[in-house]
Structures are given as C-alpha cells and as structure tokens.
Amino acid sequence: MSTLRFKAIEETFNRKPVNVEELGRRSSIFGSNVFNESVMKQYLTKEAYKNVMDAVKTGNKINRTIADHISAGMKEWAINKGVTHYTHWFQPLTGSTAEKHDAFFETIGEGLAIEKFGGTSLVQQEPDASSFPNGGIRNTFEARGYTAWDPTSPAFIWETTLCIPTVFVSYTGEALDFKTPLLRALQTVDNAATDVAKYFDKNVAKVNATLGWEQEYFLIDSALAATRPDIKLAGRTLLGHSPAKGQQLDDHYFGSIPSRVLAYMRDLEIECMKLGIPVKTRHNEVAPNQFELAPIFEEANLAVDHNSLIMDVMHKIAEKHHFVVLMHEKPFAGINGSGKHNNWSLSTDTGVNLLSPGKTPMKNLQFLTFFINAIKAVCDNEELLRASIASASNDHRLGANEAPPAIISVFIGSQLTEVLNELEKVTDGKLSPKEKTDLKLNVVGKIPEILLDNTDRNRTSPFAFTGNKFEFRAVGSLANCANPMTVLNTIVAKQLKSFKAEVDKLIKDEKMKKDDAIFNVLRDYIKQSKKIRFEGDGYGEAWEKEAEKRGLSNNRTTPEALKAQLSDKAVTLYQELGVMNKVELEARHEIELEEYAMRIQIEGRVLGDIARNHVIPTAIRYQNILIKNVNGLKNIYGEDFKKYSAEQLTLIESVSRHIAVINSKVGDMINARKVANKMEDAEERAFEYCDKVKPYFEEIRYHCDKLELLVDNELWPLTKYRELLFTR
C-alpha cells in the first residue's frame, strides 16, 4: 500500500479552516505597516518630509544630511511597532525578491548598546552580489553590487523587519535588477506622454503609467504536495493522468469559495491591508482549486513592488493554513493554466485617464491619440513584447492550445473598429470645416456612447482594450510584472515621441492647425497598424495562417522569442531612450537563456527520478502480483490456465511494454542532457534543451500516465490529479 499518499489524503480530510481574527474595518488598518505620507508627517521634520515628497514627485536627490533625519524618523516609527531589523528589499534577476537583514542594534563600548540606523544605511548598502545572476557584467571576485533606496515606493514592515524598497546596480552602474529599467522606462513615458497631453491641456505636468494586475494561482494541501517530488522541485506536475472530471462542467468558476480557502484569503487580505496593498477582488477561477485575487490600480512601480511582495506573503500565509501555493503557469495538464493579466493605462496629474473618453470631442481626440499610439507601439514591437513574457513555464500556455496564443495581437471590439475605419478615411492634408465638424460630432463625439456597453468579450486576445485600459493577458502568473511593464512603457514612450515630432512637423512645415495635424498622423497610424488588430478567435490553425499572411511573428518557445531582445532595433530603442544599454541587454538575454536551460534541466532530472525510482518499481510490484496470480491459476487449472488468465497476461505484457519505453526514453533524455550541458554558448544550450531534451518529457509522461491507469490504486505512490484538484 502507498502509505505516504494515503496518510496525506487522510490528513487532508481531517483539516479544519484556520481561525482568522479580523482587526476591524479594512479601511482602518490599511497601510498601518507602511511608512506612508501620513506617517512621515508625524515622524519627520517639515524639511525632511518636503525633501522626500520632492524626490517622489520630481526625482530630486535627497540630501545626505536630510537622509539622517529621515532614517531617524523611520527607525523610531519601526521600533515603536516592534521592529528589530531592517533590510534593503530588492528584485534581482532571479525572478524573486532578495533581502539581507541587519539589526538596529550596535554596541558602543563599556557593555552598552544602542539602536542605530543612519542616513547612509537608508540610502545605500553593499550586499555581496557575486551569487546573483549578472550575465557576465562582473567577474565573481568583483562582488560589489549596490542597493540604493527608491523613495517612490514607501518602506514597509513585514513581521519584525523594516523593508526598504531599493534598486540593485553593479559597481560600474549597470542594472542588476528589474526595478532600475522599469523606473527609467516610467520616466521616459512620463516625459513623452506629458508632451503629447499638453496638446489638449497645458496644465498637465506629469503622466503616470498605472497598473492593475490579476494574480491567478492554485492552492494544494501541503500534505498532498509533499507526496509529489515534481511539485516540490519543479512547481508543477510532470506526470499524472487527467481525472474523469476536470473543468468541463464550468462549476468551479465564480462558485462558492471552499471554507479553508476562504479563511486563507481573509488572512491574506488582512496582511495586504496592513502592507498597503489595495486587494479588492477574490474568486474561484476556471480550473478546480484555482483562484484569483486582484487589487485596485496603482502607479506602475508601486504596483510591481506590491505584486512581488504579495507573492512572498501568499506563500508564508499558506503555510499557516496547510496549503502550498502553485504559481507555475501550467501546474496541471489538461486544465487551464494561470496568468497574471496586466491592466495598463496612463493617468495625468490633473486626474485624467488618457485611455478613457471624455464628454467633449477634444477629450475624445485625446483618448484616440493615446489609444491609437498604443496600438501602433504594439504593432511595431510585437516581437519585443512577446519576448518580455517568455519563460520556460509560460511556454506551456502561449501557443499550447490555450489562450492567449504566442502571436501578439490587439483586440479593440467591433464598435471601436468602426470608429478607426471612419478615421482612416480622413482627407490627406487640411480638413474642410464640414469634414472636421462631421468627425467631431458623428465619430469622435460619440465614442463615450459606443464604449458604454462595449466591454471586451474576447478572452483569447493577448492584448485587449477593455474600456479604459489595455489588458496584457499573456503575462505569466510566475512572472515579475516589471519586465513586461518596462517593455510596454518603453515602446509607448518611443511611439509618443515619434507622434509629437510628426505632428509638430505638419504644424510647422505644412501650416496645419493642431487638430488637422493630429487627424492626419492618426490616420496614417491606423493604416500602418491594421495588421495587429484581430477580432476573432485568438488561437488555432486558422489564426496562425492569417497571422503569417499579415507578417506577425509566432515565436512559440522562449529561445525563439528572446532573440528579439538583441535585435538592432531593440538595442537602438533602449539606448536612445536611456532605459538600458547594450551591456545590460546582453546580460539579461544571457541570464534568461541560462534560466530557461536550467529549468528544463531540473525538470528532466526530476522526471527521470520519478519515472525510474517511483513509477517503474511500483509497476514491477504490481506485475509481480499479476504473475503470482497467473502462477496460482496454472497450479489449479494446469494447461487450461491461459483461458482463465488471458486478461492478466495481457496486463503483464502491457505493463512490460510501458516499463521498457519509460526506461529507454529516460536513458535517451539523460544522454540528450549530457550533449546540451557541454555547449558553452547560452543560446545554443537553450535551443538544445528546447528541441532535443524537452520532447522526451511528453513521451515519458504518456507511458507513466498509462501505467497509472493500469496499476492497482492501492500501490500507486503519487497523489493523483483527482486528489490534488478535488480535495478541499
């Protein structure tokens, strides 16, 4: 009998929801562990507070003397809340967060000690950075890397530690994290969007990119997960036969939330409230044991930090509730994977969402300007956008018979398509008074009415307009949002700069009025970006053929997709806007290729181990039972035994065939890994793992899953899909 598996199932059945104590109204505890503006007003001098706010709003540097005042106030606040340590909290290129804790405690001689936290400790630290991925930027012996405080993202308390969000750069200044390029991209899109927004409102002084992410995840009981080496080491199931019932009845989506899960969600939300993460939505997702949470929109940098933080918090809270959180994009075959939809928009300091229509034709022309420029940016840089969400885990979703596909397209809905079709007919040059009036009254002026009930119903589109924002759906659930947000904001910034240059040229050289110039440029952009717009079913052979005709890329795998990162076009784009230099781009490219190869390598090792040390021995044990049964029948019936043991003999042969194929394919996979491991070039090694090693996974899995159906359930050692997905 498979003792561990059945003990785990029994333990799971005996679980009770963990009691969660509410701490009053959510609004009353929101941000209670955040060093936010209201706290700063209490603990900082007026001069120090003003210095911080100037840094946040205008990017001004903080004076070192002032930094001492800020750190003193921050320390006092933190110690009053029971904090003992501080850390520079950053996001290295590992994909997770990093922190090194230092105590406020320092000795001062004569057996005495004090709590100390100076401005230098706040502003900058020097962690040993040699073990973080650097893509060849530094030699190992040059271990220095610097973390520098990012005042635009407020410090917060997690457990007994004061966490200070920081950037992470090398000794020579190259970015070694996700945050640094994001901040640069946000700055450049602010500048570009502000310049364009001034066409419509001279009072606009700043534009913020906003982000609202939606985090999908699976919850599995920790005892059940402990019986699966693949879940523990790879974050997903590498084998397992589909259960008779999956998601085909659509009975889980938006259904009643299981009691244990609801307790977990409540506990998580309370911690989020204290950390200032404005989580608002929770619900069951499509697949069994799959769920989603989503916050209110925030400025993009803060939203990225909050998503990285919440992924850490989710795992820690899950331990209290005896759950394991699976954020892998495809932890189970045959049912929906998990994404992290990134809802993106641009908002002015005057309180206007630039992707939301207004009450006047001028406001709607502003909306169309940013709307069409965003589409044009995606059209011109679709391969780069695809590369931004490429990973070994996300490849299981993109282009793998599951929405969204690997082909980037934009969905805007039939009614907005009609609007763009009308604008495409705009006269070349100066518009007649009648044409301009007709456009403003009958086309541009009616956009708010059009959008009133024009919600997005195409769930297969990777990049869709959803009323007042664009939703980038192809982002993986395990991903750091900074990567796609850096690319999206960079390409939009570049596009807006080009737009302004073209409009200004028409105004200056052709003596056009501003509206005429804007309409002329937008008309050309509509024509130039038509190929990226697609209203149909976003995956399948028909769309793939159509996309090929349109000249759109279809990079199904990560090694294919990542090539776009180092194209001449991409390098020029990043360097021109000051987001990343060539050294940083090459480093990231190499890191992502190496990570891809290592992920496949780990999965291959785990699969080989499970196949040879769990599946095959169990199958042989079952086969021995069958052989014993056949021998018993032979002893009873003599030569007639075959008549009574025909089914057993067939089973013995079937089991033998599957064992032989599994063992042979595992051996072939190991040899393929050895070949790949000898390749020194990161790209060659990634392609070798993709093309030569990974294909063995499905072959080995197929025969393991067949054995799962044949072998006695009492003997099977691995918790089955039906138990993982339906035990709550």
Side-chain angles (χ1 to χ4, degrees):
M1 181 177 178
S2 176
T3 308
L4 181 61
R5 174 183 158 214
F6 285 100
K7 276 187 176 179
I9 293 169
E10 183 181 6
E11 189 174 338
T12 303
F13 280 141
N14 291 329
R15 305 275 199 212
K16 301 294 181 190
V18 174
N19 183 50
V20 178
E21 184 183 352
E22 290 284 353
L23 301 176
R25 293 186 179 187
R26 299 292 172 90
S27 57
S28 66
I29 61 170
F30 183 72
S32 57
N33 283 348
V34 180
F35 196 67
N36 53 30
E37 288 186 41
S38 62
V39 174
M40 282 192 277
K41 285 179 180 177
Q42 295 177 50
Y43 283 87
L44 300 185
T45 63
K46 286 184 178 180
E47 185 183 6
Y49 172 76
K50 182 179 182 303
N51 213 270
V52 175
M53 297 315 296
D54 283 347
V56 171
K57 292 175 181 176
T58 64
N60 289 344
K61 289 187 177 181
I62 292 175
N63 182 291
R64 282 302 175 106
T65 306
I66 296 294
D68 285 331
H69 293 301
I70 297 167
S71 62
M74 200 180 282
K75 180 196 72 176
E76 196 62 30
W77 168 73
I79 289 174
N80 287 343
K81 296 182 77 67
V83 169
T84 59
H85 288 67
Y86 66 91
T87 183
H88 275 202
W89 183 82
F90 59 102
Q91 299 166 47
L93 298 173
T94 56
S96 57
T97 59
E99 52 198 64
K100 175 175 74 82
H101 296 194
D102 287 301
F104 288 129
F105 170 87
E106 279 199 22
T107 57
I108 56 173
E110 299 181 2
L112 301 174
I114 60 169
E115 273 77 27
K116 185 178 179 182
F117 179 55
T120 302
S121 299
L122 167 65
V123 172
Q124 182 176 302
Q125 282 195 326
E126 186 183 324
D128 180 358
S130 59
S131 295
F132 288 112
N134 62 71
I137 285 178
R138 293 178 344 279
N139 293 314
T140 302
F141 63 84
E142 294 172 326
R144 279 186 293 178
Y146 294 105
T147 50
W149 178 34
D150 169 23
T152 64
S153 185
F156 58 90
I157 294 169
W158 173 240
E159 296 178 331
T160 59
T161 304
L162 172 66
C163 301
I164 302 155
T166 61
V167 298
F168 181 43
V169 297
S170 72
Y171 173 66
T172 48
E174 284 90 3
L176 294 173
D177 65 345
F178 286 109
K179 181 185 273 276
T180 304
L182 175 65
L183 290 173
R184 294 170 184 165
L186 294 174
Q187 183 62 54
T188 195
V189 82
D190 170 16
N191 295 338
T194 299
D195 286 346
V196 173
K198 285 182 181 293
Y199 282 144
F200 309 96
D201 182 356
K202 297 290 185 187
N203 295 316
V204 173
K206 184 175 177 59
V207 172
N208 286 317
T210 60
L211 169 64
W213 42 263
E214 302 166 27
Q215 182 71 56
E216 294 177 343
Y217 61 98
F218 283 82
L219 281 179
I220 305 299
D221 187 274
S222 55
L224 299 181
T227 70
R228 298 285 309 219
D230 47 0
I231 288 179
K232 300 297 284 184
L233 297 177
R236 73 177 182 106
T237 56
L238 295 169
L239 49 82
H241 199 280
S242 297
K245 179 181 181 291
Q247 64 187 47
Q248 61 268 49
L249 295 178
D250 297 325
D251 55 345
H252 188 254
Y253 191 53
F254 279 23
S256 176
I257 299 172
S259 300
R260 283 183 61 203
V261 175
L262 187 59
Y264 165 77
M265 289 176 167
R266 288 175 57 213
D267 206 354
L268 176 64
E269 287 168 359
I270 290 168
E271 291 304 321
C272 287
M273 289 299 108
K274 291 191 285 186
L275 290 166
I277 305 173
V279 171
K280 187 173 177 67
T281 302
R282 66 188 185 201
H283 63 83
N284 289 0
E285 254 300 331
V286 174
N289 273 352
Q290 186 186 33
F291 308 95
E292 180 182 297
L293 62 86
I296 296 168
F297 277 60
E298 298 180 284
E299 188 273 319
N301 179 42
L302 184 57
V304 167
D305 279 2
H306 279 165
N307 183 247
S308 296
L309 175 58
I310 203 172
M311 288 197 287
D312 287 343
V313 175
M314 286 171 75
H315 288 297
K316 290 178 181 178
I317 299 297
E319 290 175 13
K320 288 171 55 180
H321 294 259
H322 307 290
F323 281 127
V324 168
V325 181
L326 300 184
M327 290 184 184
H328 192 286
E329 282 79 2
K330 194 74 170 178
F332 300 99
I335 62 173
N336 273 25
S338 297
K340 177 153 40 197
H341 297 181
N342 276 209
N343 295 277
W344 171 88
S345 190
L346 295 169
S347 182
T348 69
D349 59 343
T350 57
V352 175
N353 178 351
L354 294 171
L355 287 175
S356 184
K359 295 180 179 179
T360 66
M362 180 58 77
K363 287 294 181 186
N364 294 330
L365 184 55
Q366 175 179 270
F367 156 72
L368 283 171
T369 294
F370 286 92
F371 174 69
I372 293 167
N373 271 283
I375 295 171
K376 177 73 161 48
V378 173
C379 182
D380 290 350
N381 300 278
E382 44 97 6
E383 284 197 273
L384 196 55
L385 205 58
R386 165 67 180 94
S388 75
I389 42 90
S391 69
S393 53
N394 208 21
D395 280 357
H396 291 282
R397 289 172 68 232
L398 305 178
N401 297 317
E402 181 175 335
I407 304 164
I408 299 296
S409 64
V410 176
F411 174 89
I412 62 172
S414 58
Q415 291 170 306
L416 276 173
T417 297
E418 288 177 17
V419 170
L420 297 197
N421 289 341
E422 287 297 318
L423 290 173
E424 197 177 336
K425 300 172 188 173
V426 168
T427 303
D428 187 6
K430 295 179 182 178
L431 278 65
S432 68
K434 183 180 183 307
E435 185 177 16
K436 193 181 291 189
T437 301
D438 186 58
L439 275 173
K440 288 185 175 180
L441 292 180
N442 299 321
V443 179
V444 177
K446 292 186 177 179
I447 289 174
E449 299 166 30
I450 289 171
L451 291 184
L452 195 61
D453 191 35
N454 188 35
T455 53
D456 168 36
R457 296 179 180 88
N458 187 340
R459 306 308 296 172
T460 66
S461 175
F463 199 90
F465 184 70
T466 56
N468 59 0
K469 62 190 181 299
F470 279 102
E471 186 174 0
F472 191 14
R473 296 196 182 116
V475 182
S477 52
L478 201 55
N480 186 313
C481 297
N483 220 11
M485 284 297 101
T486 297
V487 173
L488 182 56
N489 284 292
T490 300
I491 63 176
V492 170
K494 168 64 176 173
Q495 180 54 49
L496 289 172
K497 283 177 177 290
S498 298
F499 171 78
K500 186 171 190 305
E502 289 185 53
V503 170
D504 287 350
K505 190 172 188 301
L506 289 177
I507 293 171
K508 182 182 178 183
D509 296 350
E510 303 297 328
K511 308 301 181 194
M512 281 190 194
K513 289 185 178 179
K514 181 182 68 179
D515 287 5
D516 289 0
I518 290 173
F519 274 122
N520 269 264
V521 176
L522 291 181
R523 177 203 60 225
D524 291 343
Y525 285 177
I526 291 167
K527 292 176 181 176
Q528 293 163 15
S529 62
K530 211 167 186 176
K531 69 175 184 179
I532 202 73
R533 295 187 350 239
F534 180 64
E535 304 299 305
D537 195 353
Y539 62 98
E541 286 186 22
W543 169 227
E544 287 182 10
K545 289 178 181 177
E546 172 62 22
E548 189 177 0
K549 284 182 189 174
R550 297 185 183 195
L552 299 176
S553 65
N554 184 11
N555 297 322
R556 291 176 174 275
T557 68
T558 292
E560 283 181 274
L562 291 180
K563 284 185 174 183
Q565 290 178 326
L566 291 184
S567 67
D568 291 342
K569 180 181 175 182
V571 172
T572 301
L573 167 72
Y574 283 121
Q575 292 193 146
E576 180 186 317
L577 296 180
V579 174
M580 281 185 278
N581 60 37
K582 193 172 184 181
V583 172
E584 291 169 324
L585 288 168
E586 288 173 342
R588 280 154 204 275
H589 183 66
E590 184 169 332
I591 288 167
E592 291 188 46
L593 287 169
E594 287 176 346
E595 183 185 353
Y596 176 85
M598 285 188 285
R599 294 274 183 192
I600 304 300
Q601 181 190 68
I602 291 167
E603 289 190 352
R605 286 174 173 173
V606 173
L607 180 58
D609 170 54
I610 295 174
R612 282 186 166 173
N613 295 319
H614 296 254
V615 174
I616 289 178
T618 303
I620 291 172
R621 198 176 306 130
Y622 177 59
Q623 197 176 47
N624 287 336
I625 293 171
L626 293 173
I627 291 169
K628 187 177 179 181
N629 177 262
V630 170
N631 283 330
L633 291 171
K634 187 175 182 181
N635 289 335
I636 295 171
Y637 295 105
E639 290 300 319
D640 291 337
F641 85 96
K642 288 186 179 179
K643 166 166 75 171
Y644 300 105
S645 62
E647 294 302 322
Q648 292 92 318
L649 290 169
T650 300
L651 276 172
I652 290 168
E653 291 171 8
S654 295
V655 169
S656 291
R657 281 197 304 272
H658 290 306
I659 288 173
V661 175
I662 291 168
N663 196 49
S664 171
K665 294 298 180 184
V666 168
D668 291 343
M669 178 182 66
I670 291 170
N671 289 331
R673 285 210 312 268
K674 288 177 180 177
V675 172
N677 291 339
K678 289 177 182 176
M679 295 180 172
E680 293 187 8
D681 182 80
E683 186 171 78
E684 285 182 17
R685 189 163 58 251
F687 270 104
E688 190 74 11
Y689 264 103
C690 180
D691 299 334
K692 301 295 174 61
V693 177
K694 193 179 173 187
Y696 285 111
F697 291 11
E698 284 306 310
E699 294 182 72
I700 295 167
R701 178 180 191 143
Y702 173 81
H703 293 279
C704 289
D705 290 355
K706 287 296 181 184
L707 284 176
E708 183 183 322
L709 291 179
L710 295 175
V711 172
D712 182 355
N713 181 61
E714 294 287 311
L715 296 178
W716 195 253
L718 302 168
T719 304
K720 297 186 176 184
Y721 267 32
R722 66 170 183 256
E723 295 147 0
L724 291 167
L725 292 169
F726 292 97
T727 306
R728 296 167 186 169

